Amino acid sequence: YPGTYGAPPPAANDPMWSYFTAIAGQDGEVDAEELQRCLTQSGFTGSYTPFSMDTCRIMIAMLDRDSTGKMGFNEFKELFTALSGWKQNFMMFDQDRSGTIEPHEMNQAVNAMGYRVSPQVLNVIIKRYNKGGRIFFDDYVACCVKLRALTDTFRRRDTMQQGSVNFQYDEFMLCTMAI
Amino acid sequence: YPGTYGAPPPAANDPMWSYFTAIAGQDGEVDAEELQRCLTQSGFTGSYTPFSMDTCRIMIAMLDRDSTGKMGFNEFKELFTALSGWKQNFMMFDQDRSGTIEPHEMNQAVNAMGYRVSPQVLNVIIKRYNKGGRIFFDDYVACCVKLRALTDTFRRRDTMQQGSVNFQYDEFMLCTMAI
Ligand SMILES: [Ca+2]
Ligand SMILES: [Ca+2]
Ligand SMILES: [Ca+2]
């Protein structure tokens, strides 16, 4: 896992470092409660509904390779980069500024993120994440987290790049129960 | 999928049939909103917090093999059987009647349901579903739904019963994005 383990302590002059330490508190890591508070108070969700605890949990799980349920500084920055991209993406496809993405626009959004999935998978995604036929920002991000985490898992295992992977039962559950 | 497709219409003298038709409404199938209302109004969740929409969605996805996002009569009955089992299980392991299961009891609960998972998977489950160190009924059921759906998926693909399965990328996403 490049750049995550064994990395030197972050330079104290990184502009995000003092922000991170304030959020992380005594244990020096950010858990789901701290993340939810930070994303709400920082105004990141703006006029959208604040992220649910479930979404915050899977955000952390996406990056939490040692399964502590917390994020260090590098993961925290990595998450903010991902979140900024998803927010831009969401705003771009919410063309009528309704604050939601409609199912027929979800196809474009998923493609724009670089995922190549079949119409069946897209149908499953829309069924899972729409509320009353609309996809809200919180659910959109939950969807993005899962798309990214599952695709990363798949790629990491598909070492020969054959487009196919093998799982033992316990490995399968380990990769899929967390998110 | 035995007993689901091509089954004859359920006998009108099944005691649950009129209950089902009242909940299903005009389209004759139960969607996530209808399921949430029904589980809340029937008193199924009792003194526990009503099921979230997300939990209702994955309950349906667990049984929804044609990905319509709705349940027919047979699936509806199948879900109630599963829910009754999970509720009994939850109450049995909530020995101090706190209304929650504590992480250390989750091991027994998962074993009692017949799943054999490693300590790592159990750790991931607890990290994912606890709130402030406790597992509430709604999250417990969400966890049970995922355990069952993912294990069913695995078993269905593991036709030779070798304890290992193979996925193409799109198959993998189809099985995991829905729940
Ligand atoms: Ca902390
Ligand atoms: Ca819109
Ligand atoms: Ca209906």
Coordinates of all heavy atoms in Angstrom, one line a residue, chain A residues 94 96 98 100-102 105, ligand 2:
Chain A
D94 N -26.0 17.7 -11.9 CA -27.3 18.2 -11.5 C -27.5 19.6 -12.2 O -27.4 20.7 -11.7 CB -27.2 18.5 -9.9 CG -28.5 19.2 -9.4 OD1 -29.5 19.1 -10.1 OD2 -28.4 19.8 -8.4
D96 N -30.1 21.1 -13.5 CA -31.2 22.0 -13.2 C -31.1 22.5 -11.7 O -32.0 23.1 -11.3 CB -32.6 21.3 -13.4 CG -32.8 20.1 -12.6 OD1 -31.8 19.7 -11.8 OD2 -33.8 19.5 -12.6
S98 N -31.5 21.1 -8.9 CA -32.5 20.7 -8.1 C -31.9 20.1 -6.8 O -32.7 19.8 -5.8 CB -33.3 19.6 -8.7 OG -32.5 18.4 -9.0
T100 N -30.4 17.3 -6.7 CA -30.4 15.8 -6.8 C -30.1 15.5 -8.3 O -30.2 16.3 -9.2 CB -31.8 15.2 -6.5 OG1 -32.8 15.9 -7.4 CG2 -32.2 15.4 -5.1
I101 N -29.6 14.2 -8.4 CA -29.3 13.7 -9.7 C -30.5 12.7 -10.1 O -30.8 11.9 -9.2 CB -28.0 13.0 -9.8 CG1 -26.9 14.1 -9.8 CG2 -27.8 12.1 -11.0 CD1 -25.5 13.7 -10.0
E102 N -31.0 12.9 -11.2 CA -32.1 12.0 -11.6 C -31.5 10.7 -12.3 O -30.4 10.7 -12.8 CB -33.0 12.7 -12.6 CG -34.0 13.6 -11.9 CD -33.4 14.7 -11.0 OE1 -32.7 15.5 -11.6 OE2 -33.7 14.7 -9.8
E105 N -29.5 10.6 -15.4 CA -28.3 11.3 -15.5 C -27.2 10.5 -14.8 O -26.0 10.8 -14.9 CB -28.4 12.7 -14.8 CG -29.4 13.6 -15.5 CD -29.8 14.8 -14.6 OE1 -29.7 14.6 -13.3 OE2 -30.1 15.8 -15.1
Ligands
CA2 CA -31.3 17.5 -10.9

